[in-house]
Amino acid sequence: MRVAIIVHEFGKTNGHGGIATYAMNRTKKLVSQGFDLILICFESSFEKSQAHLFKEVCFIPRGLTSLEIARWLTGKLEDISPDFLEITDYQGWLC
């Protein structure tokens, strides 16, 4: 099963909050259960040492408006075609 995880930050680095920690803990649990994971997040908010947990990591382009991010995400989700979608925080990106 392919699970796409959309989050604005990922990992336990300085400045990251509860959402990043939740996403990392959730990821480790899903990996232990045999899921193939695809992470979608901002590159500047990704803990690169955790890349091994994912089959693929996709970075949201910087400088886009919320509507442009929603359009980009729609196209990316069509491309990767996940079986499930985990959205750990909602910023109005999926319209």
Side-chain angles (χ1 to χ4, degrees):
M1 292 275 176
R2 292 169 51 94
V3 178
I5 298 173
I6 300 174
V7 66
H8 75 276
E9 61 183 14
F10 181 87
K12 292 183 179 180
T13 58
N14 288 338
H16 286 186
I19 289 172
T21 301
Y22 168 81
M24 189 157 138
N25 291 338
R26 181 79 170 133
T27 293
K28 289 179 178 180
K29 184 66 172 176
L30 290 170
V31 166
S32 75
Q33 294 174 338
F35 288 92
D36 290 327
L37 303 181
I38 301 156
L39 180 69
I40 301 172
C41 69
F42 290 108
E43 184 173 12
S44 61
S45 299
F46 174 60
E47 188 177 330
K48 291 166 183 56
S49 66
Q50 301 301 315
H52 67 281
L53 296 170
F54 300 96
K55 183 173 184 154
E56 183 179 351
V57 177
C58 306
F59 296 120
I60 300 167
R62 280 286 185 190
L64 300 180
T65 66
S66 289
L67 183 57
E68 291 168 331
I69 291 173
R71 290 179 179 145
W72 182 86
L73 284 171
T74 299
K76 181 55 71 177
L77 291 171
E78 288 174 357
D79 289 345
I80 62 177
S81 189
D83 298 303
F84 295 97
L85 181 59
E86 168 85 21
I87 304 174
T88 57
D89 62 333
Y90 180 72
Q91 298 193 15
W93 292 336
L94 299 177
C95 298

